Amino acid sequence: MQIKVLGSAAGGGFPQWNCACRNCSGLRSGSIRATARTQTQLAFSPDGVVWFLLGASPDLSTQIASTRQLDPPAGDTTGTPLGGVFLPSADVDSLMGLLHLREFQSFFLFATPAIQKIVQSENRIFDVLHRAEPPVQWQALSPGGRLACRFGEDPSAPPTFLCAPVAVGGSFPDFISTDLRRSLPSEESVIALRFEQGAKSFFFAPSLPGISGEWLKAAASSNVAFLDGTFWSDDELLSTGRGQRTAREMGHLPLTGRDGQLAQSPDDSAARKVLVHINAPNPILDETSDEHRAVRDAGFEIAYDGMEFTL
Ligand SMILES: [Zn+2]
């Protein structure tokens, strides 16, 4: 399996267009050591030819354009190596990029039934995806289940890879009508995704609203775990004047604090732990900061755009 990080920042990217926090200002002026990042987006390929997107970020168009593995196949006048998109939630950050994929192209869309319903019934603008011939094809992801994905026509052939979605708690985004929200099962709102191919596996969870034994186990037993690195502290948005809610209220377990990720993540895991979805004011983005050193000392890596893995 090949995995490529196309984007590693939280919503808004880094620097964020309307943010003058210490990090964004420092990056613009060159006064801190840090690297610009686009909004979180992963791609993986089970065979080095067909690629799948994890989420569909608002920066997807430029992320695809700067990734040679995602160029249209040589010799074809139209086409793409993209086989499909796995949606971990209905957040704007995870859906908006679908509109970049609207150019009459068929592919698979993998999501929980609740997220499919949100995209199809609450947001008619996404109907543009169904203009392709054949239209985009939805595949249901069931938290706790395992979806076998097979290349080729033979249904008895072994799966090319497996996807195991894990419910992580959380809630549906604010833009969803109250009536629809009430009718949807909450366990289908935010999921982590574990992909398995033979003995190799990786875990992707850009939103982790809290600690649960289930996702900790799925992450710890993977070769690589991409984990929610949005906030350093629970009051980061309040203290930087960027918002009125805590990290937890926004569905993101902070890195620090008694029950934060650094304290809870198991030390005995063999997984490479890689932080993604990093919010612009998060001090770990300053490569000379104490916070940057602290997460590295705790065994975490900090994702950057273009980071690649081969399993
Ligand atoms: Zn900022």
Side-chain angles (χ1 to χ4, degrees):
M1 265 192 291
Q2 294 177 45
I3 309 164
K4 189 156 184 178
V5 177
L6 309 187
S8 49
F14 176 54
Q16 181 175 313
W17 68 280
N18 62 347
C19 186
C21 73
R22 183 183 174 279
N23 281 350
C24 293
S25 305
L27 183 66
R28 291 187 192 101
S29 66
S31 62
I32 64 165
R33 200 166 84 201
T35 305
R37 287 167 164 83
T38 59
Q39 296 168 84
T40 288
Q41 178 67 53
L42 257 66
F44 91 95
S45 176
D47 63 354
V49 178
V50 178
W51 286 79
F52 292 87
L53 299 174
L54 307 190
S57 99
D59 293 321
L60 191 55
S61 180
T62 48
Q63 289 166 335
I64 290 175
S66 60
T67 305
R68 293 289 63 80
Q69 292 97 325
L70 301 181
D71 287 346
D76 290 348
T77 53
T78 181
T80 175
L82 284 179
V85 184
F86 288 82
L87 298 174
S89 74
D91 288 345
V92 172
D93 295 352
S94 131
L95 288 187
M96 197 169 137
L98 291 177
L99 296 175
H100 291 301
L101 303 177
R102 71 192 181 282
E103 306 298 345
F104 302 95
Q105 180 67 49
S106 186
F107 53 87
F108 287 97
L109 260 178
F110 301 86
T112 63
I115 292 172
Q116 178 176 349
K117 191 161 189 181
I118 289 165
V119 173
Q120 290 190 317
S121 68
E122 194 90 336
N123 293 276
R124 296 293 306 277
I125 195 170
F126 289 106
D127 286 359
V128 293
L129 294 170
H130 301 106
R131 298 181 304 184
E133 187 55 52
V136 162
Q137 297 179 58
W138 288 89
Q139 297 282 319
L141 294 177
S142 305
R146 288 156 70 82
L147 180 72
C149 298
R150 258 179 210 87
F151 290 178
E153 302 298 319
D154 180 2
S156 63
T160 310
F161 66 92
L162 291 164
C163 176
V166 180
V168 293
S171 54
F172 292 103
D174 298 343
F175 67 78
I176 295 161
S177 64
T178 310
D179 283 351
L180 180 57
R181 192 194 307 246
R182 282 203 193 106
S183 73
L184 299 174
S186 63
E187 68 271 19
E188 293 184 10
S189 60
V190 183
I191 54 172
L193 297 163
R194 187 175 194 269
F195 293 92
E196 304 168 13
Q197 187 180 45
K200 302 292 186 183
S201 59
F202 74 97
F203 179 81
F204 176 62
S207 294
L208 287 169
I211 287 287
S212 81
E214 197 185 356
W215 78 250
L216 276 174
K217 197 169 135 213
S221 61
S222 299
N223 296 101
V224 184
F226 297 93
L227 301 170
D228 183 347
T230 312
F231 296 111
W232 172 253
S233 61
D234 200 33
D235 66 351
E236 188 169 305
L237 283 180
L238 298 160
S239 63
T240 56
R242 297 282 330 154
Q244 301 300 316
R245 291 191 292 172
T246 65
R248 283 188 176 80
E249 284 167 354
M250 295 192 66
H252 296 285
L253 185 69
L255 293 170
T256 56
R258 200 156 49 89
D259 54 353
Q261 267 205 79
L262 299 192
Q264 294 287 334
S265 190
D267 290 336
D268 58 350
S269 162
R272 284 176 69 178
K273 295 177 287 187
V274 183
L275 297 174
V276 293
H277 201 263
I278 306 158
N279 196 36
N282 188 330
I284 67 171
L285 289 171
D286 178 348
E287 292 162 24
T288 60
S289 69
D290 293 342
E291 293 88 349
H292 180 94
R293 194 166 53 249
V295 295
R296 298 305 308 267
D297 289 349
F300 288 79
E301 298 173 65
I302 301 169
Y304 53 87
D305 297 12
M307 194 178 195
E308 291 188 70
F309 301 79
T310 302
L311 301 182

